[in-house]
Amino acid sequence: MKSIALIFMFSAGLVSAQQTMHLPEGGSSPKANLKDVSWIEGHWQGEAFGGIAEEIWSAPMGNSMMFVFRMVNNGKVSFYESGHIQQLDNSLILQLKHFDGNMKGWEEKDETIDFKLVKLEPNKVYFEGLTMEKISDNQMNVWVLIEEDGNEEEILFAYKRK
């Protein structure tokens, strides 16, 4: 019985250490608007995947906050992302597209990678598989759940304001 309790406590610790979330099956996104996440606006840079990651987010306008991202390894762009957080049906959705260093798209022409809103806190926003947290006015953490070959791993992008 003692070992079962220890396994449960250890497992609970692993679950609470996770930074990303998913909507429950059949669940819907909570009400939110762009003012709730306007703290994301700015020019951010940090290290990830052995290189430099950079994100630039616009202020809310036209029911969206647009962004661009680039990953630079060994002095060359590995890939780009372009996307937005959009106000949609009284909630938010983050959508993006990937491009290689030569701007060749990864997704099909009309496809986007979509992250539905799961939960909102004053300085933290949880999208499905992607979490953004304001640490201070000049620091933001972004966790992204990467799924590959049936394995999942959360990757931390620890950004500082440029």
Side-chain angles (χ1 to χ4, degrees):
M1 182 68 167
K2 188 176 183 180
S3 62
I4 292 173
L6 286 174
I7 290 170
F8 176 76
M9 287 171 47
F10 180 70
S11 297
L14 287 177
V15 170
S16 65
Q18 278 191 321
Q19 297 295 324
T20 59
M21 303 175 97
H22 290 282
L23 279 173
E25 192 168 327
S28 59
S29 294
K31 289 186 178 184
N33 63 59
L34 290 170
K35 288 180 187 176
D36 297 324
V37 296
S38 63
W39 52 266
I40 298 169
E41 177 188 351
H43 186 171
W44 304 92
Q45 192 172 61
E47 294 181 19
F49 297 118
I52 304 297
E54 179 181 39
E55 292 190 22
I56 302 170
W57 284 87
S58 72
M61 183 170 50
N63 290 330
S64 76
M65 290 179 69
M66 67 177 173
F67 79 93
V68 290
F69 167 96
R70 71 176 161 182
M71 184 74 229
V72 177
N73 294 91
N74 301 319
K76 292 186 178 184
V77 173
S78 300
F79 69 95
Y80 296 101
E81 293 176 352
S82 181
H84 64 186
I85 296 175
Q86 182 181 24
Q87 179 100 31
L88 187 64
D89 299 328
N90 294 315
S91 192
L92 302 173
I93 187 167
L94 190 151
Q95 297 176 298
L96 63 85
K97 288 178 106 33
H98 294 92
F99 303 88
D100 68 18
N102 293 319
M103 296 301 292
K104 303 287 187 225
W106 293 6
E107 291 82 27
E108 292 296 321
K109 182 174 125 179
D110 293 334
E111 290 181 6
T112 57
I113 306 296
D114 296 349
F115 301 87
K116 293 179 181 178
L117 182 65
V118 176
K119 182 179 176 184
L120 188 63
E121 296 175 357
N123 292 315
K124 202 167 189 178
V125 57
Y126 297 87
F127 293 98
E128 285 194 308
L130 189 150
T131 301
M132 305 172 92
E133 179 181 26
K134 177 182 177 181
I135 304 300
S136 70
D137 287 344
N138 294 311
Q139 188 177 355
M140 174 174 67
N141 285 340
V142 177
W143 288 272
V144 180
L145 184 64
I146 306 290
E147 298 178 42
E148 191 173 325
D149 298 328
N151 298 317
E152 293 183 343
E153 180 182 4
E154 286 182 342
I155 305 296
L156 171 63
F157 293 80
Y159 289 120
K160 293 192 185 307
R161 191 178 295 276
K162 290 282 297 171

